[in-house]
Amino acid sequence: MQDSRKTKAQTKTEGVFWAKLPGDGIAMSEAADVEATLARCMRDLQVTDCNSQFASFYGLSSSQECIGMPLRDFFKSQSSARSCLKKILTEGRILHTLERTNEAGMSIRVVMLSHVIQQKERLIGIQGINIEQTNMDTCPTSHLVKDLRSAEAHQQKADLLLDAIDQSGNCIILLDLAGTIIYANPAKAKFVGRSKDELFGVNASAFAVRGQEQLERDMEFTTLKNGAWSGELLRRRFDGVSVLVHMKTSLIHNSRGEPIAQLRTFYDMSAQEELRAKIEGQSDNLRHMVAQRTGELLQSEKTFRFWYENSPVGTVITTLEGIIVEANPAACALLKCPREKLLNKNLGGLFRYADQYRKLISSLSSKIKTVDEEIEYQTGDEGFLAIRQSSVRIESGDSNTLAIHFLEDVTHEKELAREAEDTRRQIARAGKLASLGQLVAGVAHELNNPLTAVLTYAHLLRKRVGEGEELNRQLNLIVEAGERCRQIVRDLLDFARERASTRIPVNMNDIIVHVLEMIQNQVLIQKVTVEKRLQRDLPAIRVDRHRIEQVFVNICMNAIEAMPEGGTLHVTNNYDPAANLIAITFRDSGIGIPKKRHEKIFDPFFTTKAPGTGTGLGLAISHRFISDHGGHIHVESEIGKGSQFTVELPAKTEADDLWQEAEHADTGGDLSH
């Protein structure tokens, strides 16, 4: 994230200018002739825009006085202008220092960063930014060294900070304002394939990749202007391989608010998984190191703040009672809550589940050094995040014992895992259903023939026997059992085979009302109350009405049977325009379904009913019908609190109409399929 905030000193001493060539500039192919291009820039390059501070640097009272002036007039001499412009044209940018007399007649020192502007393969001008450095020492790097090791008393703190940087898995380098490397940590050295000593004094442009010149210039310009930059770009290693990295840059200022160096941190995006594995493998050592050194870091506010405020890891510090005493910017961004609202708040108020918080506090209070948990947090926008949290107890040597919590958002990771598991289950179910369907179809056909014979002869025998005879009663039992077997065979065939279905545009409310009329007798017998709340003006939906009615009847009958003592069946629907889905929900107040059975209830032949009262095919057939329509069916249930089945079906679209017209034309008007 770029930080656009600037110190007061920066605001006062920052000048910006744009100088452009007339017309549409020079083609980059022509600009290869440096001398000809330099001559034209010396002659035609004029200032087209600037701020008042830029004008002040050159003794002018307003920016309007600068507009239209040749850029060469802003240099000390014509030879200086030629030298600087030539370097900009050959290298793409230049960083140099000027001694100027400002509007007040004072001698000032100005650092100028300038770079060429390209647009559509044409050189159109030069852009630059000036920063006043009146009070800076001759060498900017000396200020950085003074700030890190200003006195013997801070030696230990500086060593601690550098030690932490050396152990970081991210690549970290410090540059002076000219872009020269003055420090590189081991991770950076390993990334480029050179030692730390070999990198010292190398200009960072050595790692730039051809074709990204404009991006490199934008990074330099934005860093110097706004104090920070963040983005993705290619970096070249010494072996010539280009690697995509995510880089963050920021300016480092001395105590007077003057920029003295540039900090760059980046990581290899192609090696994120390897880096994650290494980090996890070293997490125990890192936590122990943090626990041992936290006391020292708390005594060194400057060192601690440098690490704390710039860390990308969400970090929260609490008392052992859970009262938040500090939260870094990364934590505030993660929890979507400003720092002032987090301070003095109990950490438990952010937990979604209170038992997770009680367990954490109990572990830390019992002097367990490190606690690793996955916790659901509630964010400031009333959302929820899955957080992988490492909590470390900090022994400070007095009664003021604290705990530091490192927060990592794993919500997306868990969603991907959940989606992968759902996909796996669907594939497994589809394979099982396909194999089972072939077997069932064969068995059903084999059973149908002898079953037909049994029923036929049972009916014939019943006609020959008198009404009051015992044999007649026994024959009735045979017929009833045979009819039940025939219904089971029909269900098996419905499950196993693909039948032609006719899909027509219908109103979902009409289907729901018709289904509720069909089950009215069962509703009255079981003393069930039906409450329906149907959304009006639903879009049409293109379905096989008979099959959808069969699905709804199956769900409603299951709900009624789950309420043997009576209850309430709620039927609602709603339309989601964004997803173009119509959702129909059936919620009962019945006995509920155990959670461990949720995944099995759509499997063929799985039933919770007593033997002889169900085949276990109703929901399996329903699931298949809904899937054939491109929809989904979900269940939510808890023992003693009832069950809720939700059916989601896509609404009719213009594509459906075009499909129907095309099929109508192909079949001569027959829309069945």
Side-chain angles (χ1 to χ4, degrees):
M1 181 183 298
Q2 296 186 16
D3 189 351
S4 61
R5 296 175 296 179
K6 294 175 277 188
T7 65
K8 188 175 182 181
Q10 286 177 283
T11 304
K12 286 185 176 181
T13 60
E14 185 182 287
V16 184
F17 75 88
W18 289 264
K20 294 186 179 179
L21 291 164
D24 56 357
I26 305 173
M28 294 305 296
S29 57
E30 299 177 12
D33 186 346
V34 177
E35 291 301 326
T37 304
L38 176 61
R40 183 169 176 184
C41 288
M42 286 290 291
R43 182 183 71 244
D44 299 334
L45 198 59
Q46 295 181 352
V47 175
T48 58
D49 196 8
C50 68
N51 64 0
S52 58
Q53 187 61 42
F54 177 80
S56 175
F57 285 161
Y58 295 92
L60 302 174
S61 59
S62 69
S63 59
Q64 291 299 320
E65 294 186 53
C66 300
I67 307 302
M69 289 181 60
L71 185 62
R72 63 176 183 270
D73 291 349
F74 291 88
F75 292 87
K76 187 174 182 179
S77 63
Q78 295 297 303
S79 61
S80 175
R82 286 183 60 84
S83 175
C84 291
L85 289 176
K86 185 174 183 179
K87 188 171 183 180
I88 295 174
L89 293 173
T90 55
E91 299 182 9
R93 67 169 189 169
I94 185 174
L95 180 71
H96 60 287
T97 304
L98 305 173
E99 297 288 343
R100 307 299 304 172
T101 301
N102 64 11
E103 183 183 7
M106 296 174 59
S107 178
I108 61 173
R109 186 179 180 189
V110 177
V111 173
M112 176 185 289
L113 173 65
S114 306
H115 65 83
V116 298
I117 305 174
Q118 297 179 27
Q119 185 176 348
K120 296 182 179 179
E121 299 299 322
R122 301 189 71 83
L123 172 64
I124 63 172
I126 292 176
Q127 182 181 10
I129 182 170
N130 296 1
I131 296 180
E132 180 182 343
Q133 290 190 315
T134 306
N135 299 318
M136 288 185 64
D137 293 342
T138 303
C139 178
T141 306
S142 64
H143 279 299
L144 176 64
V145 177
K146 287 180 181 180
D147 283 342
L148 292 177
R149 298 180 173 86
S150 60
E152 186 67 26
H154 296 287
Q155 183 68 41
Q156 184 178 5
K157 301 173 186 177
D159 290 343
L160 178 63
L161 175 60
L162 291 176
D163 186 35
I165 293 175
D166 280 346
Q167 295 187 44
S168 173
N170 286 349
C171 300
I172 302 175
I173 56 174
L174 284 175
L175 315 173
D176 62 19
L177 293 182
T180 302
I181 297 176
I182 57 179
Y183 169 79
N185 74 339
K188 168 65 177 180
K190 180 180 179 181
F191 174 80
V192 299
R194 289 290 187 272
S195 68
K196 292 169 58 176
D197 293 338
E198 289 176 306
L199 290 177
F200 184 82
V202 176
N203 195 282
S205 61
F207 307 105
V209 175
R210 180 172 298 177
Q212 291 199 144
E213 292 82 0
Q214 187 63 43
L215 181 58
E216 294 279 347
R217 288 191 288 270
D218 290 343
M219 177 179 67
E220 292 284 352
F221 182 80
T222 303
T223 301
L224 196 55
K225 181 176 183 295
N226 296 336
W229 180 87
S230 175
E232 298 175 5
L233 73 168
L234 294 172
R235 293 280 89 178
R236 184 176 60 83
R237 301 193 310 227
F238 270 105
D239 59 5
V241 177
S242 297
V243 180
L244 181 65
V245 302
H246 186 277
M247 179 176 291
K248 292 183 179 181
T249 70
S250 59
L251 284 180
I252 297 178
H253 302 83
N254 61 16
S255 58
R256 296 180 294 276
E258 300 168 336
I260 58 172
Q262 185 182 146
L263 174 68
R264 290 185 182 180
T265 64
F266 65 88
Y267 60 88
D268 181 354
M269 297 185 67
S270 64
Q272 285 189 30
E273 292 305 318
E274 179 183 354
L275 179 61
R276 183 189 300 274
K278 290 181 179 179
I279 291 175
E280 290 177 353
Q282 298 173 358
S283 61
D284 288 339
N285 292 334
L286 177 61
R287 283 193 291 270
H288 288 306
M289 181 186 70
V290 171
Q292 293 170 0
R293 296 185 177 179
T294 300
E296 299 172 2
L297 290 173
L298 289 174
Q299 301 303 318
S300 175
E301 181 67 18
K302 182 177 179 180
T303 304
F304 174 75
R305 282 295 172 188
F306 179 84
W307 167 82
Y308 189 74
E309 296 293 342
N310 294 282
S311 172
V313 178
T315 308
V316 176
I317 299 176
T318 69
T319 65
L320 286 186
E321 292 74 29
I323 303 302
I324 299 174
V325 297
E326 261 299 352
N328 74 342
C332 296
L334 182 64
L335 299 174
K336 299 179 181 177
C337 186
R339 178 174 175 272
E340 56 271 17
K341 289 189 177 181
L342 287 176
L343 296 184
N344 298 317
K345 185 174 183 177
N346 194 291
L347 185 65
L350 301 175
F351 280 43
R352 186 176 186 181
Y353 302 109
D355 58 335
Q356 291 183 333
Y357 173 69
R358 288 193 293 269
K359 180 180 178 183
L360 172 65
I361 294 300
S362 175
S363 299
L364 292 175
S365 299
S366 61
K367 297 190 177 181
I368 295 178
K369 283 287 186 181
T370 304
V371 181
D372 294 330
E373 296 284 354
E374 281 197 5
I375 296 168
E376 283 202 42
Y377 270 80
Q378 181 172 333
T379 60
D381 60 357
E382 298 184 357
F384 294 98
L385 288 177
I387 300 293
R388 182 180 294 129
Q389 177 169 307
S390 292
S391 300
V392 182
R393 179 188 173 102
I394 305 170
E395 301 288 354
S396 59
D398 54 24
S399 59
N400 188 27
T401 303
L402 301 174
I404 184 167
H405 312 273
F406 301 98
L407 314 180
E408 179 189 3
D409 183 3
V410 294
T411 305
H412 184 60
E413 178 183 322
K414 292 180 74 66
E415 288 176 352
L416 291 178
R418 191 181 302 113
E419 290 175 2
E421 178 63 18
D422 289 343
T423 301
R424 184 194 65 77
R425 290 174 182 167
Q426 291 175 7
I427 293 173
R429 178 181 283 119
K432 182 166 60 175
L433 293 182
S435 300
L436 191 57
Q438 294 177 357
L439 175 63
V440 164
V443 172
H445 282 296
E446 291 298 326
L447 289 175
N448 205 35
N449 292 332
L451 187 59
T452 300
V454 169
L455 286 172
T456 300
Y457 284 108
H459 280 295
L460 290 174
L461 287 173
R462 194 167 59 176
K463 290 180 180 179
R464 296 180 182 180
V465 177
E467 290 290 336
E469 296 187 20
E470 175 63 18
L471 182 59
N472 184 273
R473 187 184 66 82
Q474 294 172 350
L475 287 173
N476 286 337
L477 292 176
I478 293 174
V479 171
E480 290 176 4
E483 290 294 345
R484 172 168 169 74
C485 290
R486 174 175 286 179
Q487 184 58 47
I488 292 174
V489 169
R490 288 172 181 165
D491 288 345
L492 289 173
L493 290 174
D494 281 341
F495 168 75
R497 69 189 178 193
E498 290 287 345
R499 294 193 312 173
S501 69
T502 302
R503 300 186 187 183
I504 59 174
V506 298
N507 185 294
M508 182 54 66
N509 288 342
D510 293 341
I511 294 179
I512 294 173
V513 171
H514 185 237
V515 167
L516 295 180
E517 290 174 351
M518 286 193 291
I519 65 170
Q520 186 62 32
N521 286 338
Q522 286 80 5
V523 167
L524 294 175
I525 294 171
Q526 292 294 111
K527 299 180 180 179
V528 171
T529 301
V530 176
E531 293 185 1
K532 65 177 185 292
R533 189 176 72 256
L534 306 181
Q535 180 179 329
R536 297 181 179 179
D537 302 325
L538 288 176
I541 186 166
R542 191 171 182 273
V543 297
D544 183 324
R545 178 166 186 150
H546 172 72
R547 289 188 172 182
I548 297 303
E549 286 180 349
Q550 184 177 344
V551 171
F552 291 174
V553 168
N554 279 338
I555 295 174
C556 289
M557 292 303 297
N558 286 342
I560 292 171
E561 292 175 7
M563 298 182 285
E565 304 299 326
T568 304
L569 174 61
H570 298 270
V571 182
T572 61
N573 64 10
N574 69 282
Y575 172 60
D576 181 0
N580 193 37
L581 290 176
I582 295 178
I584 306 93
T585 301
F586 302 87
R587 178 166 55 88
D588 64 63
S589 58
I591 58 177
I593 304 170
K595 189 173 183 179
K596 63 182 180 180
R597 295 183 176 177
H598 288 186
E599 297 179 6
K600 299 180 180 180
I601 61 175
F602 296 111
D603 290 346
F605 308 112
F606 179 82
T607 180
T608 60
K609 298 178 182 179
T613 60
T615 63
L617 290 172
L619 287 178
I621 295 172
S622 297
H623 187 278
R624 180 170 182 173
F625 285 173
I626 297 302
S627 297
D628 289 344
H629 282 77
H632 304 277
I633 181 169
H634 311 282
V635 61
E636 298 176 31
S637 184
E638 188 174 344
I639 292 295
K641 296 186 177 180
S643 303
Q644 175 174 300
F645 283 80
T646 301
V647 176
E648 294 178 337
L649 291 167
K652 187 171 76 71
T653 64
E654 294 181 4
D656 291 327
D657 294 333
L658 294 175
W659 181 90
Q660 185 178 11
E661 291 174 5
E663 189 177 63
H664 183 82
D666 292 340
T667 61
D670 183 6
L671 295 179
S672 63
H673 64 287

